[in-house]
Amino acid sequence: MKSNHYPKIGIRPIIDGRRKGIRESLEDTTMNMAKNVAKLYSENLFYPDGQPVECVIADTCIGGVKEAADCAEKFKLENVGLTVSVTPCWCYGSETIDMDPMIPKAIWGFNGTERPGAVYLAAALAAHNQKGLPTFGIYGRDVQDMGDPQIPADVKEKLLRFAKGGLAVALMKGKSYLAIGTVSMGIAGSIVDADFLQEYLGMRTEYVDCSEILRRVEQEIYDKDEYQKAFGWTKEKCVVNEGEDYNPEHLKRNREQKDKDWEFVVKMTMIMRDLMKGNPVLGKMGYGEEAMGHNAIAGGFQGQRQWTDFMPNGDFSEAILNSSFDWNGIRAPHIFATENDHLNGISMLFGNLLTNTAQIFADVRTYWSPDAIERVTGWKPEGLLVDGAIHLINSGSCTLDGTGKQSKDGKPAMKPFWEIDNSEVDKMLDATHWYPSSLEYFRGGGYSSKFLSEGGMPVTMCRLNIVKGIGPVLQIAEGVTVGLPDHVFNTIDKRTDKTWPSTFFVPRVTGKGRFKDVYSVMNYWGSNHGAISYGHIGADLISLASMLSIPVSMHNIDEDKIFRPASWAAFGPENDNADYRACAAYGPLYK
């Protein structure tokens, strides 16, 4: 997708409409305020392809309803997906506000005493609230002088937080979630809820039977030249790291069967990508319908069990698709859910759109208490592990970015693809082994990715759940990945499946409620799966959720970092309870 097709941020400079002295004295100051915000965004925010975010500024300052309407018309033509109104002065509230109910909106009212924009901010927010248009209010803590071009740090933080969430909302709208297959092993998250996707996210649901993969393999509906390139790369980078076959002797596949599995999973990876994104090469081959894909911004593969009982599993495909590279080089990750758990897939999508980084899909599998670790391994946990850890381990696949072999400021990281270099790709590949799948789980063969994530990465785990009577709710837990001594990990690793990828996660605890301790986080987690993003993005997730009217059921974010629309304050004094009431009152964005 070219950057000019991405949604843009609309900047609305709002001005006192009284002419013959007042408006004229404020024109330059107001327009410069808008330009400074646009500069902040273009220098700090990026689209999924790595290009700077584009802003559109109204042609004139907006002093009344006619100029507001002119601005709205321009924004429609320019594909504006969210708006920020800025003003250094008093203006006419309900005459100048953004009335589009379908896009996120914010107002920055300049904290100054000459012609206080804060007065307009309060009046305009009241108008939005009265009209049922949730709007984020931004008001700097310290008084500035009129004309001061600086954007204070606290204002920058809120401007960026709003824009990240607003862009995520706009980027999802009109896209699809592609379900390859149906329900995996009775997992509720893989019962794809088309109403949720449509009403809350503005997304379509597309369905493809798993047999479509087999059809395209057998009828060779894939780019054969790319396949030769992909298979050569796989032999050089992955087959060389094929792990030991731990299957019982009577189940082991012979070398010929294993080699055919490698060929098949490479083709399957290409086909899954083509199903999501399309591929013009297929059109040249005479497959015009297949060439278009399903316009999917995220997808998932059922796999278990109907497919994996007789065909190679999706572990290699899921791992490579979710990584920031493949045989074609470094590129943006595809968001692709194991077991077609669309709720975890969308949770991954939230993290990806907020950070532009690859996302870890994992089972929230085991809480290891310090006593249990010591009893099983003989090692007494210390440091970050003194309260134990949550073992995150997916059944055979994980983004290779999750190895932590990228580096930022000399520390393990997961970065946007445009910041990754080829040496880091080699390190990720070297750290990953591909084990012949456990045939008691995956009777059809295939290869599972295996690594242990580096400790010391700040991460945020989140998860969407759907609760009858409430609708979607979001859980958030910020924390850090931790390392284990080799002998400790090896002992723990053997107690589940030693061919699968592992991440050990310690959430930041608060001593109360859902975050009383590490055990409580595991105990209150609402599903068997979680989506893990690099960085502490819990506050960004909370802002995004409020834009979508999705309440947050648990989080460990400091109160002063929580940023929701101003009207949430009218729903009660306690932030989290008010969140539930506000989301219920406003309802889904696209209903």
Side-chain angles (χ1 to χ4, degrees), residues 132-147:
L133 301 170
T135 303
F136 289 76
I138 301 171
Y139 177 54
R141 177 174 291 274
D142 297 317
V143 171
Q144 294 180 262
D145 298 330
M146 177 65 76

Side-chain angles (χ1 to χ4, degrees), residues 26 88-90 110-117 143-148:
L26 295 165
C89 59
W90 163 252
F110 186 81
N111 185 357
T113 55
E114 291 89 345
R115 295 184 181 274
V143 171
Q144 294 180 262
D145 298 330
M146 177 65 76
D148 183 351

